[in-house]
């Protein structure tokens, strides 16, 4: 019997996790649900809570409280509201947590969950990108561990032989290339939100879908891989693999390269985390190898998609630079989703924010400790600066190479 919490239960990963749990586990026998947490979707959270009967259901957005509490009336389930309540729910002792809140909003809940000693299935890559190894060490110190949900890291996790670490030449992360694969930089100036949201292979939340289109997702994953597997940037490569069947690879110095393959379905890595250390049987769609006529791999175009290059620079700069990269990206993705900026403004602004952070490292006190307050300060500083600058209106000059040059 395992006690389980799901943070971000109303999102793409959260819903897939609940579907898998419903299909494969018996409530009261295999598991009991401690907490379901979500952002603002009161209707879906209430529906999930009434069906799965967690001990507590928490909505972060206070403006939806009246609606949520009305829907939950008479259920007998403990309910709460606000970011602090989400964090408190994440801190409840459980055996297994799905951490699937999107963006920096996941930072405190993930940090809290990691401190409980639970096994944390981590989908919220942004928290790891910001916390670095501190998050992994925190989980281990509490007697738990972080398991990667991202399909690429989950693939590497499955074929990474810790005892052979010294003989690992490199990790190879694969990327679908997103909807704009093959386009030149100038072709990207006027792409629309709708085009960017049409991912060729994966069905995901809006933020990660835009990140996939700009390759920021692969950038975040590069940083995530370095921290998860304790590998230097120089030993992590990215290859575009449009079929999204080989989810990532580990190359060993004896000439063997081990890959994990599977259909592009997030339930595969989620089920791996759910079952770990055993494999977890479910009605997984088989991989039809004969139907795959070709598997192709190509180098990413970092000229057209600078977010990957910028992520590597952030990783190599270290300290809080990945926090700046993440914060600037989140602000700009939101602005793009709201139709306020163009697609190319995303990398231009992130690059400018990183350059500014480098020159103003005093503003972050040169404090390289990755504690939550320190991360939140760097995150807030970056967001405040973008707000002061009027986001892209100011930074777009960088796109045209007028206002900024690289140090
Ligand atoms: N989707 C994928 O295939 C995939 C693959 C790999 C990694 N990931 C990662 O997994 C995470 C979730 O992705 P997703 O695609 O599932 O995103 P999503 O569909 O947008 O769902 C995000 C979830 O986070 C919740 N949330 C947002 N703000 C919150 C807040 N302030 N407090 C509490 N909950 C909040 C949302 O609640 P409401 O909907 O109620 O607002 C929703 O449940 C991301 O970090 C993403 O990078 C996703």
């Amino acid at each position: 019997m395992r006690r389980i919490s799901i943070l971000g239960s109303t999102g793409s990963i959260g819903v897939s996790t609940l579907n898998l749990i419903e299909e494969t586990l018996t409530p009261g026998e295999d598991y009991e649900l401690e907490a379901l947490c979500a952002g603002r979707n009161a209707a879906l959270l209430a529906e999930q809570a009434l069906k799965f009967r967690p001990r507590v259901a928490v909505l972060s957005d206070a403006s939806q409280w009246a609606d949520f509490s009305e829907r939950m009336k008479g259920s007998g389930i403990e309910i709460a509201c606000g970011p602090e309540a989400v964090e408190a729910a994440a801190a409840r002792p459980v055996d297994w947590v799905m951490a699937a809140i999107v963006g920096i909003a996941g930072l405190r809940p993930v940090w809290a969950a990691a401190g409980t000693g639970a096994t944390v299935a981590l989908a919220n890559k942004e928290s790891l990108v910001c916390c670095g190894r501190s998050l992994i060490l925190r989980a281990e110190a509490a007697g738990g561990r972080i398991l990667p949900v991202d399909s690429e890291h989950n693939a590497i996790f499955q074929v990474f032989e810790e005892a052979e670490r010294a003989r690992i030449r490199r990790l190879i992360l694969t990327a679908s290339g997103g909807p704009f694969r093959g386009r030149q930089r100038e072709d990207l100036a006027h792409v629309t939100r709708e085009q960017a949201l049409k991912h060729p292979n994966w069905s995901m939340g809006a933020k990660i879908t835009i990140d996939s289109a700009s390759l920021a997702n692969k950038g975040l994953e590069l940083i995530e891989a370095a921290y998860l597997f304790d590998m230097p940037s120089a030993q992590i490569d990215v290859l575009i693999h449009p079929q999204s069947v080989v989810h990532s690879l580990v190359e060993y110095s004896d000439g063997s390269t081990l890959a994990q393959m599977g259909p592009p379905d997030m339930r595969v890595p989620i089920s791996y985390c759910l079952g770990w250390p055993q494999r977890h049987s479910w009605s997984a769609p088989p991989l039809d190898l004969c139907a795959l006529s070709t598997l192709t791999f190509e180098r990413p175009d970092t000229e057209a998609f600078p977010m990957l290059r910028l992520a590597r620079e952030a990783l190599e700069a270290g300290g809080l630079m990945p926090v700046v990269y993440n914060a600037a990206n989140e602000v700009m993705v939101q602005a793009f989703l709201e139709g306020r900026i163009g697609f190319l403004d995303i990398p231009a602004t992130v690059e400018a924010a990183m350059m500014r952070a480098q020159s103003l490292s005093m503003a972050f006190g040169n404090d390289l400790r990755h504690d939550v307050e320190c991360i939140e300060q760097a995150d807030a500083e970056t967001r405040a600066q973008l707000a002061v600058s009027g986001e892209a209106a100011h930074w777009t000059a960088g796109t045209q190479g007028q206002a900024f040059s690289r140090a």
Side-chain angles (χ1 to χ4, degrees):
M1 173 82 118
R2 280 188 293 175
R3 218 161 352 141
I4 288 178
S5 286
I6 301 177
L7 316 176
S9 64
T10 53
S12 165
I13 294 287
V15 167
S16 294
T17 306
L18 279 172
N19 288 345
L20 263 176
I21 287 175
E22 186 179 18
E23 179 191 324
T24 58
L25 301 179
T26 308
E29 219 172 89
D30 299 318
Y31 79 98
E32 54 184 30
L33 211 50
E34 181 67 30
L36 290 181
C37 300
R40 60 188 330 268
N41 191 341
L44 183 54
L45 180 62
E47 185 188 319
Q48 292 175 336
L50 296 174
K51 179 172 178 184
F52 288 94
R53 310 279 321 163
R55 287 217 175 88
V56 61
V58 185
L59 200 62
S60 179
D61 186 345
S63 72
Q64 308 300 312
W65 174 245
D67 180 19
F68 182 55
S69 52
E70 182 59 30
R71 290 172 186 273
M72 295 297 293
K73 211 180 237 170
S75 68
I77 295 169
E78 190 185 338
I79 56 173
C81 179
E84 294 79 13
V86 172
E87 187 181 348
R92 289 187 173 210
V94 290
D95 301 297
W96 193 88
V97 182
M98 169 52 76
I101 293 174
V102 63
I104 197 72
L107 175 67
R108 278 191 177 266
V110 167
W111 188 256
T116 65
T119 296
V120 179
L122 186 72
N124 177 250
K125 63 190 83 186
E126 296 90 347
S127 58
L128 179 57
V129 163
C130 293
C131 293
R133 295 280 304 160
S134 315
L135 183 66
I136 292 152
L137 298 177
R138 177 174 170 82
E140 287 174 2
R145 70 174 297 162
I146 304 284
L147 298 179
V149 172
D150 243 328
S151 56
E152 297 77 0
H153 307 77
N154 191 272
I156 291 173
F157 185 64
Q158 293 192 38
V159 295
F160 190 107
E161 295 173 20
E162 186 58 49
E164 296 293 340
R165 171 178 280 278
R167 279 165 286 280
I168 290 177
R169 259 197 206 135
R170 59 178 180 148
L171 310 182
I172 305 168
L173 291 170
T174 55
S176 70
F180 304 137
R181 183 174 65 89
R183 298 233 197 159
Q184 301 298 305
R185 189 170 169 75
E186 52 276 17
D187 301 338
L188 297 173
H190 302 293
V191 295
T192 64
R193 169 188 190 277
E194 286 64 35
Q195 289 170 318
L197 283 171
K198 263 201 199 109
H199 196 283
N201 303 344
W202 296 94
S203 163
M204 309 181 285
K207 194 255 176 185
I208 185 176
T209 306
I210 301 300
D211 283 349
S212 297
S214 70
L215 289 201
N217 184 47
K218 214 46 58 181
L220 292 168
E221 288 178 7
L222 172 75
I223 301 172
E224 187 185 2
Y227 294 149
L228 267 175
F229 302 106
D230 206 6
M231 297 288 280
S233 165
Q235 277 179 271
I236 310 173
D237 269 354
V238 173
L239 289 179
I240 303 294
H241 166 53
Q243 296 81 16
S244 296
V245 165
V246 176
H247 294 301
S248 280
L249 313 92
V250 177
E251 182 185 300
Y252 292 87
S253 56
D254 67 350
S256 293
T257 297
L258 303 191
Q260 184 263 351
M261 299 169 74
D265 184 330
M266 283 308 292
R267 289 173 300 175
V268 176
I270 294 170
S271 75
Y272 190 82
C273 292
L274 198 55
W276 186 86
Q278 279 106 41
R279 288 191 184 268
H280 190 73
S281 299
W282 63 286
S283 60
L287 182 63
D288 184 353
L289 286 169
C290 296
L292 294 168
S293 52
T294 46
L295 294 179
T296 59
F297 299 89
E298 63 204 55
R299 298 233 161 262
D301 178 353
T302 51
E303 188 59 38
F305 300 94
M307 288 302 285
L308 187 53
R309 166 179 61 79
L310 292 171
R312 199 178 281 283
E313 288 175 13
L315 172 63
E316 289 172 2
L320 292 163
M321 198 58 95
V323 181
V324 174
Y325 174 90
N326 181 66
N329 180 55
E330 272 192 44
V331 170
M332 296 308 281
V333 168
Q334 189 57 36
F336 179 72
L337 282 169
E338 290 168 7
R340 289 187 281 121
I341 61 161
F343 191 70
L344 288 181
D345 294 324
I346 300 174
T349 308
V350 172
E351 180 152 29
M354 285 171 60
M355 285 165 63
R356 186 179 177 284
Q358 201 168 25
S359 64
L360 287 186
S361 57
M362 289 307 289
F364 301 155
N366 276 333
D367 189 345
L368 302 188
R369 283 176 307 127
H370 277 157
D371 61 38
V372 172
E373 287 76 20
C374 180
I375 291 163
E376 284 179 338
Q377 188 195 341
D379 178 85
E381 292 253 5
T382 306
R383 287 168 197 266
Q385 181 56 35
L386 292 179
V388 166
S389 308
E391 292 169 353
H394 179 81
W395 298 115
T396 302
T399 321
Q400 295 141 9
Q402 291 167 8
F404 302 102
S405 59
R406 289 171 45 67

